[in-house]
Amino acid sequence: MIAMAPDTGKLRQQHPQLFVVQRRYLRRIALLALAALLYYLFFFYQFGIGWSRTIQGCQQLGQYFMHMFVWHDFASWPFAYYFSQIGITLGIVFAGTVTASLLALPLSFLAARNVMHDRATRPVALLVRRLFDLMRGVDMAIWGLIFVRAVGMGPLAGVLAIVVQDIGLLGKLYAEGHEAVERSPGRGLSAVGANSLQKHRYGIFTQSFPAFLALSLYQIESNTRSAAVLGFVGAGGIGLVYAENMRLWNWDVVMFITLLLVAIVMTMDAISSRLRKRYINGKTVPLWQPDAQA
């Protein structure tokens, strides 16, 4: 049987408030769409981006993509050099991210409001949070330029750039993970006479550990993509290969390196998924059952 369509007029009479809310919602959506359209028109007009320039840019972009998928003299490419630079990039990423995670974890407790809740310790939490804002407020490439000037060109500048920015980012996220835990285990530990360190270890970190592990694994993946930019500023890694071949218009090499990085990120994502499944989801622990023969 064919279902009959509901009578809209009858429904409107039965539920007038529902249709009023719907019209109000659609009106807001239309206003937001109009505001977005006016913003784009103002943007293109203000910066003098005409249709001819846009079409020309799209044509050039299409030519670049055509060059990317036509690989010339593929057998004669210096693959050993490419893979060595990718290895340097991965070394920079792991050293920087692991170091930042280990440093951000204790600092995150100093920024968590449920840990630093006393009147005397609240200023410490505020100061540590502002420090995190400063560290993550500066882009990784800017930190790379600063450390290249300080310690010279090479992987060390890249590691330091990742460490500084990731401490600010991961420290804030870890602190928010500590603040989101259930407070009942902490109260129970206080009732049995546990000290502050034991309450933080078993009452807070035990619950926030899944977030700690997931954020750390995700940041390794994210830094693998971001670390390629560090080579442009002299901080070592595969970014140097990108910069060299872009200047020489070797777009086929650029595409090859890009595909390698995508494959690496996909592999790391698969490994991260297995680690999250093992250490976050865990295995079901069977409840104790009395022996039926006893």
Side-chain angles (χ1 to χ4, degrees), residues 70-85:
V70 179
W71 296 356
H72 301 282
D73 300 328
F74 180 73
S76 61
W77 288 3
F79 295 105
Y81 173 66
Y82 297 158
F83 284 107
S84 66
Q85 293 300 315

Side-chain angles (χ1 to χ4, degrees), residues 42-54:
F42 170 78
F43 178 84
F44 281 96
Y45 175 78
Q46 182 69 22
F47 294 97
I49 304 176
W51 286 108
S52 60
R53 183 178 175 184
T54 304

Side-chain angles (χ1 to χ4, degrees), residues 31 36 42 45 115 118-120 128 147 160 163 176 195 199 205 207 216 226 234 244 270 289:
L31 290 175
F42 170 78
Y45 175 78
V115 176
D118 296 333
R119 180 176 298 180
V128 175
F147 286 115
L160 293 176
V163 167
E176 292 180 351
N195 56 36
K199 288 189 292 184
F205 184 65
Q207 299 182 66
S216 300
S226 302
E244 291 174 350
Q289 297 289 342

Side-chain angles (χ1 to χ4, degrees), residues 119-256:
R119 180 176 298 180
T121 56
R122 287 174 188 171
V124 177
L126 181 62
L127 181 62
V128 175
R129 283 180 172 271
R130 298 295 77 79
L131 177 63
F132 289 160
D133 293 339
L134 174 63
M135 287 181 170
R136 74 173 188 276
V138 180
D139 189 74
M140 186 185 297
I142 305 300
W143 284 119
L145 285 171
I146 294 173
F147 286 115
V148 164
R149 294 287 184 177
V151 301
M153 300 177 62
L156 179 59
V159 171
L160 293 176
I162 292 177
V163 167
V164 172
Q165 191 191 47
D166 280 7
I167 286 178
L169 177 62
L170 293 176
K172 178 180 183 297
L173 295 177
Y174 292 165
E176 292 180 351
H178 300 330
E179 293 175 355
V181 301
E182 179 64 34
R183 298 189 179 184
S184 299
R187 297 191 184 102
L189 290 170
S190 299
V192 297
N195 56 36
S196 298
L197 183 60
Q198 291 172 332
K199 288 189 292 184
H200 298 160
R201 165 63 179 87
Y202 297 103
I204 296 179
F205 184 65
T206 302
Q207 299 182 66
S208 62
F209 174 75
F212 164 77
L213 180 61
L215 290 170
S216 300
L217 293 174
Y218 172 76
Q219 198 61 23
I220 291 177
E221 301 173 20
S222 177
N223 286 337
T224 304
R225 300 186 297 267
S226 302
V229 182
L230 294 175
F232 282 87
V233 299
I238 198 62
L240 180 61
V241 180
Y242 269 118
E244 291 174 350
N245 287 278
M246 284 183 178
R247 281 194 293 265
L248 297 174
W249 290 69
N250 294 332
W251 296 105
D252 48 355
V253 178
V254 172
M255 175 55 70
F256 175 72

